[in-house]
Each structure stands twice: as C-alpha cells, then as structure tokens.
Amino acid sequence: DADVTQTPRNRITKTGKRIMLECSQTKGHDRMYWYRQDPGLGLRLIYYSFDVKDINKGEISDGYSVSRQAQAKFSLSLESAIPNQTALYFCATQQGGEETQYFGPGTRLLVL
Amino acid sequence: GEDVEQSLFLSVREGDSSVINCTYTDSSSTYLYWYKQEPGAGLQLLTYIFSNMDMKQDQRLTVLLNKKDKHLSLRIADTQTGDSAIYFCAENSNTGKLIFGQGTTLQVKP
C-alpha cells in the first residue's frame, strides 16, 4: 500500500464550485505539505503544516485553505474554484529533522 | 529571495551521458535534492546531497555540488529510454520548506 495517498486522482469541476482534495499518510510523519505543479513552473508551495495545530501559508496560498484534521490527514480546499487553478496538486510528508519529503501520486484538477 | 533555476529541456541519445544542471540562491541550504517525475506519475526522490559534500555517486547517478558557485548537477551515465522524465532540482530553505526548480524534461532518443 502507498504511504501517501491522495483522493481524488482526477477531478473536473466548474468555476465557482467548492472542492476539497484529501491527503492521507501512514508514515507517521509530523510535517505535511501541499504543492501545485504547472508546466514550466515546477512545484510551488501552497500551504504546509508542521503539526496538527500548525498551519502556514506557502508561496501561493490565495484562493486556497487547508485543514489538518489529524496527524495523518491534510486537506486542501478551493472555496470558489477558478480556471487558473487548473493544475496538478501534490501532497508531501516529512518527518521533522529528517531530510526527505515523500510525495503522493498527485491529483489532476481541471476547472472549467 | 530563494530561487532555483534549471534549463527546461535536454535531449540525448541512448547510451550517452546526460548532465542536468541547476543553480540555486540560498547559501544556507543544508540539503539539495534531485527528484524524478515520470509521465503521469508523482515525484520520486532520486538522490540528495548534503551541503558539505562535493560529490555523491549512486550507481549510474553522479551528483556534483559547487557550493561557491551555488551550482548542482546530475549526471546520468549510459542513459536509457526509461530515464526519460522530468527532473527537478530542489533545495531546502532555512524554514524547512523545499524550493523547486522548473524541472528539466529529459528526452532519450533510441
């Protein structure tokens, strides 16, 4: 079983809709991250959390919100989706003090 | 601010060596990473190097770090068609976040 899972894997939605992307991990890591990937721009950090009560904005947090419901779960919400939020979204985990982030398989989101 | 730059595209012939280059700006980075993304897949950590090292070798992969010039490279020996992917360089910022480059698409021609 994968250590970092994301649901859904693919999603098509319409402008103005609220959607939630979920991330779960079985690695027991305390840190979790949400990134978006756009062609030619690499990965950009949206939000990150170092613990259940800790939420921090990343580079491009506008239009997004997150919830860290438990150490193993980190959800990303788009309150009112817009077409330029069409992208590939990745969740990642890391144990504090260790050097490596582990990525989920990604969620491909299309906003029409 | 923190920035990581890579060229966007590299094409090589099967069996040749590939060298993917990266420059970064944060001199306080502790680790530098190379991730691989195959088509339709997530990111897979290929290798990483600690900032006090100059070189790290792992089978066909060689990472070179020039800390003075803030330049990182990934050499893939005997490149195979299965190496075709997007390769991301990343540095860890002093806040623990990863800063990624734009990704280099490696095309391997038979």
Side-chain angles (χ1 to χ4, degrees), chain B residues 68-93:
Chain B
K68 173 175 167 288
D69 294 339
K70 299 192 186 70
H71 182 266
L72 182 74
S73 68
L74 174 70
R75 179 176 180 269
I76 305 173
D78 187 25
T79 313
Q80 304 296 306
T81 54
D83 294 324
S84 293
I86 304 176
Y87 290 81
F88 291 95
C89 165
E91 61 170 347
N92 69 329
S93 70

Side-chain angles (χ1 to χ4, degrees), chain A residues 37 45 48 99-101, chain B residues 33 35 37 45 48 88 97:
Chain A
Q37 182 183 12
L45 183 63
Y48 62 103
E99 66 278 352
T100 303
Q101 287 188 19
Chain B
Y33 305 83
Y35 281 86
Q37 184 182 32
L45 179 66
Y48 63 91
F88 291 95
K97 298 178 291 183

Side-chain angles (χ1 to χ4, degrees), chain A residues 1-67:
Chain A
D1 285 339
D3 295 318
V4 185
T5 56
Q6 293 183 232
T7 55
R9 294 294 313 279
N10 294 280
R11 178 76 184 266
I12 301 174
T13 192
K14 293 183 179 177
T15 297
K17 293 289 188 183
R18 181 180 188 277
I19 68 159
M20 181 182 289
L21 309 184
E22 311 254 14
C23 177
S24 294
Q25 52 123 344
T26 58
K27 299 182 81 67
H29 289 169
D30 50 3
R31 300 183 177 189
M32 297 186 76
Y33 304 80
W34 275 106
Y35 294 90
R36 66 175 277 177
Q37 182 183 12
D38 298 277
L41 293 179
L43 275 76
R44 293 179 292 168
L45 183 63
I46 306 172
Y47 269 96
Y48 62 103
S49 167
F50 283 179
D51 203 346
V52 174
K53 290 184 169 43
D54 178 72
I55 300 289
N56 304 282
K57 290 184 178 181
E59 194 183 345
I60 51 162
S61 58
D62 287 349
Y64 300 95
S65 62
V66 291
S67 172

Side-chain angles (χ1 to χ4, degrees), chain B residues 3-26:
Chain B
D3 194 20
V4 179
E5 297 282 336
Q6 298 177 240
S7 55
L8 293 182
F9 187 77
L10 175 66
S11 180
V12 301
R13 293 231 170 258
E14 193 173 18
D16 289 349
S17 292
S18 308
V19 180
I20 303 172
N21 294 301
C22 170
T23 58
Y24 62 97
T25 57
D26 187 356

Side-chain angles (χ1 to χ4, degrees), chain B residues 44-110:
Chain B
Q44 169 196 356
L45 179 66
L46 268 185
T47 187
Y48 63 91
I49 187 167
F50 190 48
S51 59
N52 69 354
M53 297 170 65
D54 298 323
M55 185 181 89
K56 180 178 180 181
Q57 187 150 4
D58 183 2
Q59 299 182 337
R60 292 190 297 121
L61 305 178
T62 303
V63 179
L64 295 178
L65 175 60
N66 181 329
K67 204 172 177 185
K68 173 175 167 288
D69 294 339
K70 299 192 186 70
H71 182 266
L72 182 74
S73 68
L74 174 70
R75 179 176 180 269
I76 305 173
D78 187 25
T79 313
Q80 304 296 306
T81 54
D83 294 324
S84 293
I86 304 176
Y87 290 81
F88 291 95
C89 165
E91 61 170 347
N92 69 329
S93 70
N94 57 10
T95 57
K97 298 178 291 183
L98 281 183
I99 310 296
F100 284 86
Q102 309 94 313
T104 299
T105 297
L106 176 63
Q107 179 190 63
V108 183
K109 296 180 181 176

